[in-house]
Amino acid sequence: ELRGIPRFNLFEDIKKKLIKLGIPEEEIAIINESKYSNDTNKAKLFEKVNDGAIRILMGSTEKLGIGVNVQERLSHVIHIDAPPRPMDFEQRNGRILRPGNGFKEVEITLLAIVNSMDEVTYTRLQKKQKFTNQLLRGNIPGNTFEDPSDEVQNTLEEMIAIASGNPLVQKRYKLESDIRELETLQTGHAKKLGNLRHSKNSVENQIEEYTEDLGKSERKVKELNEKHAGKF
């Protein structure tokens, strides 16, 4: 507690609401609870989830990430927030989208609050994933990387815009962010164009040199032919 204010626990709050809706408490588990801190109890929990004794399992990305094999009866994954990294988002979905799941079809739901920081976080997540995909494919427009400080600036601006509650302020910062992104692409394009021009000049110079060398070789061959004419 902080100065008499009870500490809020989102998982516990969701659990209480689910119980009120008629789901038995013993069929709900929160892996972040201290009783699941040891491997033995954790293994028993995973076994109950796979057996169907535990119908709802809640936890953080860290606790329900790599090494958690509870996919046998999972039918629905719900993201109550957006993780900071695309790999975290992939890990969450990896609990259900994996071999051993008994369902032919599964559901993945993303929760977000309109005009909140959720929009900022999901936007950042999408941009990071897009950049990662481009990097893996070797498809970086203009071979230019965005300055990391720009991301901090963009995030702060988006926070200010949302906090203002004024759609015009939000539009302004969105346009300014788009302008910076376009300027980055323009810089990359100009750099790439300069490199292509340099390569073009280099190739043209080589062609001139090779043409001159070829001319010298042809004259040399002609001289040799004339010199040795009639000797064979």
Side-chain angles (χ1 to χ4, degrees):
E1 294 186 0
L2 179 63
R3 295 184 180 180
I5 301 176
R7 185 176 180 181
F8 179 75
N9 186 307
L10 179 60
F11 294 137
E12 288 291 343
D13 185 68
I14 294 175
K15 181 178 179 180
K16 290 177 183 178
K17 289 180 171 61
L18 291 173
I19 292 173
K20 285 184 179 181
L21 290 173
I23 299 177
E25 182 176 0
E26 62 272 15
E27 295 182 3
I28 305 171
I30 303 173
I31 196 172
N32 290 68
E33 293 179 348
S34 57
K35 62 181 177 181
Y36 298 121
S37 59
N38 66 75
D39 293 338
T40 301
N41 289 345
K42 196 180 297 183
K44 290 180 180 179
L45 171 63
F46 295 164
E47 186 176 347
K48 287 183 179 180
V49 175
N50 283 324
D51 289 342
I54 297 294
R55 293 169 56 192
I56 297 174
L57 177 62
M58 294 184 285
S60 62
T61 305
E62 180 182 2
K63 295 290 185 179
L64 287 178
I66 298 174
V68 177
N69 298 315
V70 292
Q71 69 276 2
E72 294 182 22
R73 293 175 184 266
L74 288 188
S75 63
H76 197 168
V77 165
I78 300 176
H79 299 265
I80 61 176
D81 67 354
R85 302 175 301 179
M87 64 175 293
D88 295 328
F89 188 72
E90 187 175 345
Q91 279 299 322
R92 292 181 182 183
N93 292 335
R95 298 316 96 210
I96 193 170
L97 300 176
R98 61 192 300 115
N101 191 305
F103 293 96
K104 293 183 179 180
E105 294 184 359
V106 296
E107 293 184 57
I108 296 177
T109 300
L110 281 67
L111 301 181
I113 300 175
V114 178
N115 292 327
S116 73
M117 281 302 299
D118 287 342
E119 181 180 356
V120 175
T121 310
Y122 275 114
T123 299
R124 290 280 157 235
L125 195 65
Q126 184 268 341
K127 286 187 176 181
K128 289 177 181 177
Q129 185 60 59
K130 180 180 178 181
F131 174 77
T132 301
N133 291 341
Q134 291 176 330
L135 186 63
L136 292 175
R137 295 167 186 162
N139 181 26
I140 306 298
N143 295 324
T144 301
F145 295 85
E146 184 177 343
D147 186 346
S149 62
D150 289 345
E151 181 175 349
V152 176
Q153 178 180 343
N154 289 340
T155 302
L156 292 174
E157 289 178 351
E158 288 164 336
M159 290 174 65
I160 294 171
I162 290 173
S164 72
N166 187 334
L168 293 178
V169 175
Q170 297 180 30
K171 186 176 181 179
R172 169 196 164 189
Y173 283 125
K174 174 65 170 58
L175 290 173
E176 289 180 349
S177 176
D178 290 343
I179 289 172
R180 283 196 297 273
E181 186 173 348
L182 290 172
E183 287 176 343
T184 299
L185 292 174
Q186 184 182 36
T187 301
H189 175 71
K191 182 179 179 181
K192 187 174 183 179
L193 190 60
N195 291 336
L196 289 174
R197 285 172 177 166
H198 176 74
S199 298
K200 176 176 175 290
N201 292 335
S202 178
V203 170
E204 288 177 344
N205 291 334
Q206 287 182 345
I207 291 175
E208 290 180 3
E209 292 177 3
Y210 294 153
T211 301
E212 185 179 347
D213 290 343
L214 180 61
K216 291 179 180 179
S217 298
E218 289 176 343
R219 288 194 294 272
K220 187 67 175 177
V221 170
K222 185 178 180 180
E223 290 175 0
L224 290 173
N225 289 334
E226 292 175 352
K227 182 178 180 180
H228 297 287
K231 292 185 178 181
F232 301 100

